[in-house]
Amino acid sequence: MLGLLTLLAALPPASLAAQDAPLNAGALFLLLPVGAHPAAMGQAGTALEGRGDAAFWNPAGLATLPASEFGLHTASLAAGRAHVVTAYFPSPRIGVVGGAVYLVDYGDLESTDSAGHTVARVSPRNLEFLASYATGVAGPLVLGVSYKLVEFRVDCSGDCRDFPSERGVTHALDVGGQVTLGQAQDLRIGFALRNVGFPLQVENRAQADPLPARLVLGALYRLPFHPGNGPDGAGRVDLQVAADVHRPWDGDGPSEMRLGLDVGYEGLLRLRGGYAFVPDGLSGPSVGVGVTSGSIGVDLARMFTSGSDLVVPNPTFFSFRVVF
């Protein structure tokens, strides 16, 4: 996407208008990672639990949210930045409800005249609005669903005769489940079907692009450590190991593997790392850190990737959460 946008910025007006349609790219932004926690763990988020950003990986993970949460997430992806706002509210009677707004801003592309003066600015954006619900079903099984309103739009200001504003909207669903296993409930299995919906159509039906639907399976195993300092020291350090497998829903493409580690100390400090075996510039190692103090949590992550037309090299992620 970055390479395409850079190319469009350098093209003359007639060419720019002709290139608007490929910017749609089937809403590929839906595959970009959201949240510094799963991004640091090699993008292994299918078994993620108890956090609002779980809605973007497996909505069933919302069912274990211990308290109401408000979150802000940003990332240095594509030609601009990605911004996410989340708000989720658990209820003992009905489960967890809430929603999120996701914006990917590709920046402003300027069109100039023969004298080099800017005559128009074209602003491509991707937007996603989520409404999610998750609840426990029976024993260790929880289920979740997210409705998505997905939008791609190109706004123009100035002399827009050659760059008419365009907008495409579609609808999609994520459905998923998680089950906790083991005597100490240390193993959590997650499964989800993501981005199942109608093609995103901007200009006409022939140019509509299918959404990147994915079937995902993941697991997270939690291993507490007992340092041998007596009962007061038991469980102060824990290790979490996560693994995900993603596959295109239509079977057209290879499976993708994601692996992650998360080491924590007393619920205060967490150190994370992982590796993702995925295409589109997101393949490679990642590291991160998380700090929680009272009702506030902050997470940072960095991916070490070569970048591509979809993402910039070595993107960074930041998450801020408040529980109340």
Side-chain angles (χ1 to χ4, degrees):
M1 184 69 75
L2 175 60
L4 177 58
L5 292 172
T6 304
L7 175 63
L8 293 181
L11 289 175
S15 299
L16 181 58
Q19 292 290 329
D20 282 345
L23 278 172
N24 175 2
L28 288 178
F29 82 104
L30 296 174
L31 298 180
L32 298 177
V34 174
H37 178 183
M41 294 183 65
Q43 307 166 52
T46 306
L48 184 66
E49 59 177 322
R51 298 169 61 101
D53 44 342
F56 292 89
W57 301 87
N58 182 354
L62 296 170
T64 51
L65 200 66
S68 298
E69 180 188 291
F70 173 79
L72 296 173
H73 310 272
T74 66
S76 58
L77 292 167
R81 293 194 63 86
H83 306 276
V84 180
V85 178
T86 63
Y88 289 99
F89 309 94
S91 167
R93 293 185 177 181
I94 65 173
V96 178
V97 296
V101 179
Y102 180 17
L103 167 67
V104 181
D105 184 350
Y106 299 105
D108 294 334
L109 307 178
E110 295 185 353
S111 174
T112 59
D113 58 20
S114 58
H117 300 128
T118 299
V119 296
R121 284 186 172 86
V122 180
S123 303
R125 307 280 189 268
N126 269 125
L127 284 163
E128 180 184 19
F129 301 91
L130 275 76
S132 303
Y133 173 72
T135 187
V137 177
L141 176 65
V142 296
L143 299 176
V145 60
S146 288
Y147 160 75
K148 298 180 174 183
L149 177 66
V150 181
E151 179 179 356
F152 173 77
R153 61 187 303 156
V154 179
D155 297 317
C156 180
S157 60
D159 184 358
C160 298
R161 289 173 293 182
D162 295 314
F163 317 111
S165 296
E166 294 180 346
R167 181 173 180 262
V169 177
T170 191
H171 309 271
L173 288 176
D174 286 359
V175 294
Q178 292 180 345
V179 60
T180 304
L181 304 174
Q183 188 173 15
Q185 298 185 334
D186 291 329
L187 177 63
R188 193 171 189 87
I189 305 294
F191 50 91
L193 184 57
R194 296 171 49 191
N195 305 321
V196 177
F198 303 101
L200 182 58
Q201 178 179 328
V202 178
E203 291 187 353
N204 54 59
R205 184 172 299 178
Q207 293 176 327
D209 292 313
L211 298 182
R214 293 292 187 271
L215 179 64
V216 299
L217 177 66
L220 184 145
Y221 184 73
R222 183 179 293 105
L223 178 64
F225 288 95
H226 303 277
N229 295 328
D232 293 337
R236 296 177 66 182
V237 178
D238 71 282
L239 169 66
Q240 298 179 13
V241 182
D244 275 15
V245 177
H246 293 213
R247 183 171 179 81
W249 172 242
D250 60 6
D252 185 16
S255 298
E256 303 168 357
M257 175 67 73
R258 298 160 164 84
L259 303 172
L261 296 174
D262 184 348
V263 180
Y265 175 74
E266 288 193 334
L268 173 65
L269 175 67
R270 308 206 68 89
L271 301 178
R272 304 178 178 115
Y275 199 100
F277 302 88
V278 300
D280 297 324
L282 289 171
S283 183
S286 56
V287 296
V289 61
V291 178
T292 302
S293 179
S295 61
I296 296 177
V298 175
D299 299 286
L300 298 172
R302 181 78 177 272
M303 292 182 180
F304 299 94
T305 63
S306 59
S308 71
D309 288 345
L310 186 63
V311 295
V312 297
N314 306 329
T316 57
F317 298 78
F318 171 80
S319 295
F320 174 81
R321 298 173 294 108
V322 178
V323 297
F324 53 93

